[in-house]
């Protein structure tokens, strides 16, 4: 059976819920829907991991967050970010997984009272394929999916990650402890999100 074709009135009548954030988050990233697909990339030591944890903390204001720490696990560097961003304050709204497969995620997310946002860090280390990432979003269309990508020579590492970036509505690249929104929901493009002021100064001085 053919899928529904939408009329212009159908499109205009759809109510898309947006994250009601304010301040620097709205200024840098604009109006983003709860169930958007995010793609975040950046070179090593650019501030990407710190940004993702700051984003996770912000998103806990609007729903439960599941953080897939596939790349780092729960080692010392991850623990330090948990402490720095005071994530223990978000105990009831923040959970971490390190080894869930595609099938595990399908099972976990099918349970009642699941997370509103799912962070996969990183896409490469998760072992997910592009097709599986798409299948997860189609199975759980009301959740926000946030994929973190490794880079090679300034581009997402691997063809699957490159395809996923094109599909994402929110594209963010982290450079020198600043996060630049390149997606279609971006707000003021001249105002990147500052992750760490001292890191920005240090990066600028090293140029």
């Amino acid at each position: 059976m053919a899928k529904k074709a939408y009329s212009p009135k159908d499109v205009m009548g759809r109510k898309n819920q947006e994250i009601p954030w304010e301040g620097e988050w709205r200024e840098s990233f604009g109006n983003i829907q709860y169930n958007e697909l995010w793609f975040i990339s950046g070179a090593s030591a650019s501030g990407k991991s710190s940004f993702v944890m700051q984003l996770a903390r912000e998103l806990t204001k609007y729903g439960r967050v599941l953080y897939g720490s596939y790349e780092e696990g729960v080692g010392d560097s991850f623990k330090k970010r948990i402490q720095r961003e005071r994530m223990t304050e978000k105990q009831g709204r923040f959970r971490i997984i390190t080894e869930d497969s595609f099938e595990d995620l399908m099972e976990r997310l099918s349970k009642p009272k699941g997370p509103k946002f799912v962070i996969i860090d990183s896409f490469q280390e998760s072992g997910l394929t592009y097709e599986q990432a798409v299948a997860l979003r189609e199975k759980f269309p009301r959740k926000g999916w946030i994929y973190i990508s490794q880079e090679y020579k300034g581009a997402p590492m691997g063809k699957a990650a490159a395809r996923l970036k094109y599909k994402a509505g929110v594209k963010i690249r982290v450079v020198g402890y600043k996060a630049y929104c390149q997606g279609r929901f971006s707000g003021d493009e001249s105002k990147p999100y500052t992750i760490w002021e001292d890191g920005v100064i240090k990066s600028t001085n090293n140029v």
Side-chain angles (χ1 to χ4, degrees), residues 18-31 187-188:
E18 295 177 348
I19 300 172
W21 52 18
E22 301 175 343
E24 58 186 342
W25 291 97
R26 181 171 291 275
E27 290 173 1
S28 296
F29 305 115
N31 305 323
D188 184 353

Side-chain angles (χ1 to χ4, degrees), residues 7-27:
S7 71
K9 284 188 176 181
D10 290 335
V11 174
M12 296 306 296
R14 288 171 66 91
K15 294 183 179 180
N16 299 315
Q17 282 193 313
E18 295 177 348
I19 300 172
W21 52 18
E22 301 175 343
E24 58 186 342
W25 291 97
R26 181 171 291 275
E27 290 173 1

Side-chain angles (χ1 to χ4, degrees), residues 100-157:
D100 277 27
S101 65
F102 170 72
E103 292 77 15
D104 293 333
L105 282 170
M106 280 287 191
E107 181 180 354
R108 184 187 298 275
L109 297 175
S110 295
K111 296 177 181 178
K113 297 182 179 180
K116 189 77 171 178
F117 305 97
V118 182
I119 297 173
I120 303 294
D121 185 9
S122 64
F123 174 59
Q124 289 81 1
E125 293 298 324
S126 72
L128 294 173
T129 65
Y130 169 81
E131 289 76 16
Q132 287 173 334
V134 172
L136 283 166
R137 188 163 188 244
E138 290 178 349
K139 177 69 174 178
F140 306 103
R142 295 185 179 181
K143 299 185 186 299
W145 287 91
I146 302 164
Y147 284 91
I148 319 305
S149 176
Q150 299 171 354
E151 282 191 350
Y152 179 69
K153 294 184 178 180
M157 186 181 293

Side-chain angles (χ1 to χ4, degrees), residues 182-198:
Q182 303 166 326
R184 54 180 175 264
F185 293 104
S186 57
D188 184 353
E189 294 184 0
S190 65
K191 188 176 179 58
Y193 175 87
T194 298
I195 302 162
W196 182 38
E197 288 283 1
D198 289 349

